[in-house]
Amino acid sequence: MNATQNTLSLKSIFTDFKEITKAGLAVSVVFSSLAGYLLGVFDFNASSWTTLIMLAVGGYCMVGASNAFNQIIEKDLDKLMDRTKNRPIPAERMSTTTAFIIACLLTIIGLTILYNINPKTAMFGAVSIFLYTSAYTPLKTVTSLSVFVGAIPGAIPFMLGWVAATDDFGIEAGTLFLIQFFWQFPHFWSIGWFLYEDYEKAGFFMLPTGKKDKTTALQTILYTVWLIGASLLPVLGYTGRLYLTPIAAIIVFLLGIWMLVYAVKLYNSRTAKAAKTLMLVSVSYITLLQIVYILDKFLR
């Protein structure tokens, strides 16, 4: 009986840890960092594997810390929303103190690991945590510009991988940042659209106009167009070592058109279903784009 209880206890602790760090989101962010690293590394060898593992672990710690701090700050608001009321803190399965200790430990461990890759990587990781917790999180209940602010730390992971590989922030890293920066807007506005009523309970301003209207949908289309443009910049040959062959550029362009089609569908129907579909497409889009970039580099 005690063994069963201990197993259940360990399982619940592990489950709560995954929830407080938002494991699904953290893994997707880490994937972006690893993609950026693979694009930036010049000669992939045995030591590259060590750096890749350090980047994955350190990156997860940093994202997990950001999410834990976020849930501490928003614990009272999380109780008001259906999608967040069962999180560890609002459901009272975890105390605020415990969550704070976890967040601090993850920050220290993450920064230490990233610093051992190179100081620039640690610096950008620290900037990401600071902006996410100290700017984006409190602004969510004040202004819809919070999405713009949140898009900055949200765009760092793809670029962070390149910096980890090269110890340099140049036009290549800036281009990767730009791609993921523009991607944030249609992605998060689609989430803000289909979860509008839930966000409204907590007083979060996630849509640019504050409403599920044509102007918001139109801006989603415009930012998707800019995303397509940014993703094709490397084919022009002006982004340093970050280069995209014409064939890969065509694939990236078609992926962008695929996402744009669903942004237009949101504009035409303005339904929660269309917004949720766009969100799912946006997740697939950024993952496939990164895979195409990596394959294009290693196959050419």
Side-chain angles (χ1 to χ4, degrees):
M1 188 68 172
N2 287 335
T4 303
Q5 289 176 338
N6 288 336
T7 301
L8 290 172
S9 178
L10 287 172
K11 184 178 179 181
S12 62
I13 290 171
F14 180 65
T15 300
D16 284 345
F17 178 79
K18 288 197 300 181
E19 290 188 24
I20 201 71
T21 59
K22 294 186 184 176
L25 172 62
V27 168
S28 68
V29 171
V30 167
F31 180 82
S32 290
S33 295
L34 299 184
Y37 178 83
L38 291 173
L39 290 173
V41 67
F42 185 74
D43 180 25
F44 197 88
N45 50 45
S47 65
S48 301
W49 282 108
T50 302
T51 306
L52 206 60
I53 292 170
M54 291 173 66
L55 182 61
V57 176
Y60 187 97
C61 287
M62 299 301 282
V63 179
S66 295
N67 290 328
F69 281 127
N70 171 267
Q71 290 181 52
I72 291 168
I73 296 168
E74 295 182 348
K75 64 182 188 301
D76 294 326
L77 298 177
D78 279 350
K79 292 179 181 179
L80 305 176
M81 296 185 289
D82 293 334
R83 73 182 189 91
T84 57
K85 64 184 180 184
N86 289 318
R87 284 176 175 173
I89 300 176
E92 298 182 355
R93 296 193 306 275
M94 182 184 291
S95 68
T96 303
T97 301
T98 300
F100 184 73
I101 292 171
I102 290 172
C104 289
L105 285 174
L106 288 175
T107 301
I108 294 168
I109 294 169
L111 282 175
T112 301
I113 293 173
L114 295 182
Y115 186 84
N116 276 279
I117 295 175
N118 61 59
K120 288 189 182 73
T121 303
M123 180 194 72
F124 282 118
V127 168
S128 178
I129 282 188
F130 175 78
L131 288 177
Y132 189 86
T133 58
S134 301
Y136 167 66
T137 296
L139 283 175
K140 285 163 69 178
T141 56
V142 178
T143 173
S144 60
L145 288 175
S146 61
V147 174
F148 177 86
V149 175
I152 298 173
I156 285 177
F158 201 14
M159 168 266 284
L160 189 74
W162 184 283
V163 175
T166 64
D167 193 18
D168 179 59
F169 179 83
I171 191 168
E172 300 94 343
T175 302
L176 296 180
F177 176 88
L178 193 66
I179 292 169
Q180 200 147 355
F181 178 78
F182 282 132
W183 173 81
Q184 302 281 318
F185 294 93
H187 175 69
F188 280 105
W189 285 337
S190 60
I191 294 174
W193 190 297
F194 76 82
L195 290 175
Y196 180 82
E197 287 73 19
D198 214 24
Y199 279 129
E200 197 174 32
K201 295 174 186 175
F204 287 151
F205 298 91
M206 301 301 290
L207 299 180
T209 66
K211 301 175 183 178
K212 298 187 290 183
D213 57 16
K214 277 195 170 187
T215 304
T216 288
L218 179 60
Q219 289 195 46
T220 302
I221 291 174
L222 291 175
Y223 275 85
T224 302
V225 171
W226 292 336
L227 167 62
I228 294 171
S231 68
L232 293 173
L233 286 176
V235 77
L236 300 177
Y238 295 108
T239 53
R241 287 204 299 114
L242 181 65
Y243 177 69
L244 205 59
T245 63
I247 293 175
I250 291 171
I251 297 172
V252 167
F253 175 72
L254 291 175
L255 285 173
I257 294 300
W258 176 50
M259 185 166 162
L260 182 61
V261 165
Y262 284 94
V264 172
K265 285 185 177 181
L266 175 61
Y267 178 83
N268 290 331
S269 65
R270 297 190 297 285
T271 62
K273 182 180 178 181
K276 191 168 188 177
T277 302
L278 175 58
M279 183 274 292
L280 294 172
V281 168
S282 71
V283 173
S284 299
Y285 165 85
I286 196 66
T287 304
L288 291 171
L289 176 139
Q290 289 164 351
I291 291 172
V292 170
Y293 265 64
I294 293 167
L295 290 177
D296 185 56
K297 174 189 173 180
F298 285 97
L299 293 179
R300 65 172 178 256

